[in-house]
Amino acid sequence: MQLGLIGLGRMGGHMARRLIDAGHAVVAYDADPAHLEEARTIGAVVAGSPADLVKALPAPRAVWIMLPHGTPTVQTIETLTGLLSAGDLIIDGGNSHYLGSIAAAAQCSRRGIDFIDAGVSGGVWGLAEGYCIMAGGPPAAVSRLAPVLTALTQPGGFAHVGPVGAGHFVKMIHNAIEYGMLQALGEGFECLERSEFGIDLRKVAALWQHGSVVRSWLLELMDKAFAEDGARLEHIAPVLEDSGTGRWTIEYAVGRAIPIPAITDSVYARFSSRDIGGFSARVIAALRKQFGGHAVKRA
């Protein structure tokens, strides 16, 4: 396929490379000239603007947006709806709010443009390992995009989860679960770190990957983090940011009286880390750096 790709950051740039390696043609745009130059070196056709990107694609066009949620994504969708034609397709692969995706799809449909909301997980490892993609949208539009989705994901790593909005809703819940899992690991390793036994934390992270009930990819990354950042993660400040998906999940649950105490506490723990972060926050910050390439503050 030929695909337009807007947004070549940590994940978008890797997605472009994975698509090109699979034989697809990518027309890329990013506001950062350095990202565009990198895309050119891997074989993408680079565009100087969204309008140039649209002109470079044959109809019916498909344009994938990989930008931060909120204003950057909203403004880009508004721009594209003025440039694309009936029968074209927009895919939002960022962490947009699912209600915003439903509104964006309605905006697109007025011009006969299809819309897919694609929740994308995999972080900086997606290039080598393949992404996990949760797509919401019309079945025909999702089927049309199947070659791209196959190239981006590992076997079994894609599902059409429902109509427009479902993709970003499932990704929102996925991220909220991630918050809770990270918090549990952080708190557990803080207990180990503060014990009187002088426990080798990296050894425990490696041990629990073999036959343990809690074995997981996150523990593999924990082992890697201790190797890279020190046995006590002393160079990482215990300060945690949040992307917004955890907050949205709490709002959704409160509106429906669904109790989610573990997820709620994990979000509040990120807030409190900015004032009184402890070792658990260092663990979570180190893991976010490992799987998502998220920046950490140095202690």
Side-chain angles (χ1 to χ4, degrees), residues 20 73 142 166 202 229 246 251 298:
I20 290 168
T73 294
V142 176
R202 186 182 177 192
D229 296 304
E251 291 169 1
R298 310 306 293 183

Side-chain angles (χ1 to χ4, degrees), residues 87 176 197 199 237 239 254 259-260 281 298:
F197 299 111
I199 292 170
V239 178
V254 168
I260 53 167
R298 310 306 293 183

